[in-house]
Amino acid sequence: MSSRRPFTVHALRRRIALGLPAAWALGTTAARAAAPRALTVAAFPAIDQIVRGAVPAWRELHPDVELKVVSRRASDHHVAMTTALSSQSNLPDLFALEADYVGRFSLGSGLEDLRRAPFNIEALRQRFVPYAYQQATNPRGEVVAVPTDVGPGTLLYRSDLLQRAGLVEADLVRSWDGFVEAGRRIKASTGAVLLAHARDMKDILIRAGVTPGDGIYFGRGNTVRVNSPHYARAFELARAVRKAKLDANIGSWSSDWTEGFRRGGIATQMMGAWLAGHLNNWLAPGTRGLWRAAQLPEGAYAAYGGTFFALPRAADPAGKALAWELATLLTTDRRLQLAAFQQHDAFPAAVDTYGDPFFEQPIPFLGGQPARTVWREAARRITAPTVHKQDRFAEEVINTELDKVLLRGKDIPTALGDAERLLKQRALR
C-alpha cells in the first residue's frame, strides 16, 4: 500500500470536489454557531476502524468537531439501531448498515430520504456502483442510505482439489449442471464435498439475473414470483447436490464450516468477494495459495453483502449537515475508499477507484491471481433486486420448503406451490 499523503486541500475546495451542496460548502455564521462539538457514528467491525481511519481527513475539514465512534458486534449493532429508531432515543448522528438490513430499515420512516435538500444524493448517483445505489432505494423511491462498500458475488475454489480431480476452472463455471458434475468428480478423487450446504445453490440462483424492478421473492404489482422455472431450477440443483452427497450439510460461520475450509474438506464456496480476506486473515490462513476466484457459474452475477451509511430522521438537527458531510467524505473520497479496500478488504462502492493499479495487483492468498479484476467486473454487472416488506418472511418460507424437499423428499412443484399460496396471503397485508 502506498503511503497516504497529508490532507492539505483547502476545506472549501474539498467540499465542492465531493459534490456537497454549495450552501454547506460556503457555510454561514448561524450554521457554524449551531454546529455540534462532536458527531457520534455507530458502527461495527471493521467499519468502526474505517471511520477512525478517516479522522485525519475529517480534522482537516473540521478541527473543532470530534468524531465519536460507538462500536458493537454486527448483530448487536443492528438490534441497537432498531431500538433507537423505534424509540427515537440514543440516536447517533450517522450509522452503518449491512446490506441485508437496508431493505428492512428502508420500509419504515426512521431514516432520512437523502434525495431531499439539503442532502441531494441524486447529484452523486453516478459516483457509485449502480446496483449499490439501487439497493438503498425503497419501493417509494426514497434513497435512505449511501453505499460505502459492496459485496460482488464470487466463486472461491480450491485449485489443488480441482487439479487432483483432473479439472480446470472452466469445468466449474461453464454451467450449473457442469458445476454439479465437477463436484461428483472432486468427491470421487479427493473425498471433498462441493459445497458446505446445498442451500448455497438456491441462495445464489434465486438472486442471480433478477429483472430490474423485481425483487427476489416479489415482483411488480405485489406479485409472488417463487412458483417459477427460475425457482424450480434452483431447487432442482440443490436437490441434485444433496442426493449425490456433495454437500456437508453445515451452515455458514459454524465451527464445522471453518474446519471444512482448514482441512480441505470443502472444495468451493459461493459468497461475497470479501470472504477471500476472511479466509486469509482468520478462517483458514493455512490454506494460503490454494484458493482461486472466478465468476459464478453460467454467467450469473449476484450481490452478497455490502455496507451503507444512514442518517436517523429524528437525530439532532444541528448535526445533520455535518453528518451528511462525513458520510459523503467516507463514501466518495477516493483515497479513503482505497484505504478501506487495502486495509480491510472493503470493496469500494465508488467507481472512480476502479482504475487504480491496486485492482491489478496479485493476491498472494489466491496464488498470485489478480482477482480484484474479476470482482470489479461483477460489481459493474450486478442488478439489485427491489425490497419488499415481507422479504424476511419469504426467505423463511422458501428455506422451510427447500428443507422439506432435501430432508423429506417433498415434490418440488408442490413445495413451490405451497410457498406461493402462503406468500400471496402475506403480500396483501
Side-chain angles (χ1 to χ4, degrees), residues 13-295:
R13 293 177 60 195
R14 180 67 168 274
R15 293 174 193 169
I16 293 174
L18 289 172
L20 297 175
W24 289 3
L26 295 173
T28 64
T29 302
R32 287 171 184 160
R37 298 180 64 88
L39 283 182
T40 301
V41 183
F44 47 85
I47 304 304
D48 53 356
Q49 298 174 54
I50 290 172
V51 175
R52 291 186 181 105
V55 167
W58 180 254
R59 284 177 179 160
E60 177 72 19
L61 298 173
H62 296 286
D64 55 337
V65 181
E66 180 187 0
L67 287 188
K68 295 182 178 180
V69 181
V70 177
S71 181
R72 303 178 181 89
R73 292 187 308 171
S75 57
D76 295 338
H77 165 81
H78 290 94
V79 170
M81 292 304 97
T82 301
T83 302
L85 289 172
S86 62
S87 65
Q88 296 190 6
S89 62
N90 299 315
L91 287 166
D93 297 290
L94 182 71
F95 70 98
L97 272 177
E98 286 186 337
D100 287 347
Y101 288 89
V102 171
R104 304 174 199 175
F105 281 54
S106 73
L107 298 174
S109 58
L111 303 181
E112 290 283 4
D113 179 5
L114 301 178
R115 298 174 305 166
R116 299 186 302 107
F119 313 111
N120 301 318
I121 193 174
E122 289 179 335
L124 302 176
R125 180 170 189 163
Q126 300 304 315
R127 303 186 71 167
F128 302 114
V129 174
Y131 91 85
Y133 188 93
Q134 186 60 39
Q135 278 182 309
T137 306
N138 68 19
R140 299 187 295 268
E142 299 163 345
V143 182
V144 299
V146 55
T148 186
D149 63 65
V150 295
T154 189
L155 171 66
L156 297 174
Y157 66 89
R158 284 284 295 262
S159 61
D160 57 329
L161 298 179
L162 255 69
Q163 185 176 15
R164 287 167 57 188
L167 300 170
V168 295
E169 181 180 292
D171 296 314
L172 283 177
V173 302
R174 188 176 297 112
S175 69
W176 287 108
D177 291 324
F179 179 68
V180 175
E181 179 57 33
R184 292 190 177 95
R185 292 179 59 181
I186 290 170
K187 184 163 188 188
S189 301
T190 70
V193 296
L194 179 65
L195 294 167
H197 201 291
R199 189 185 301 126
D200 293 349
M201 290 288 289
K202 180 270 297 179
D203 287 343
I204 289 290
L205 280 162
I206 66 174
R207 285 165 172 77
V210 175
T211 303
D214 282 339
I216 296 173
Y217 308 100
F218 301 93
R220 296 176 179 85
N222 223 20
T223 57
V224 178
R225 56 187 303 269
V226 302
N227 195 3
S228 65
H230 185 66
Y231 266 78
R233 189 177 186 215
F235 271 48
E236 287 164 0
L237 285 166
R239 183 175 62 181
V241 167
R242 178 59 57 83
K243 279 190 171 182
K245 299 181 179 179
L246 301 181
D247 76 315
N249 194 17
I250 54 178
S252 300
W253 310 110
S254 65
S255 58
D256 288 338
W257 188 68
T258 302
E259 281 303 307
F261 291 142
R262 291 177 178 174
R263 298 176 183 274
I266 301 173
T268 76
Q269 180 67 53
M270 293 178 287
M271 200 169 271
W274 41 262
L275 181 63
H278 289 338
L279 287 168
N280 179 42
N281 295 328
W282 60 279
L283 283 174
T287 61
R288 181 185 176 96
L290 300 178
W291 292 88
R292 300 292 185 274
Q295 301 292 10

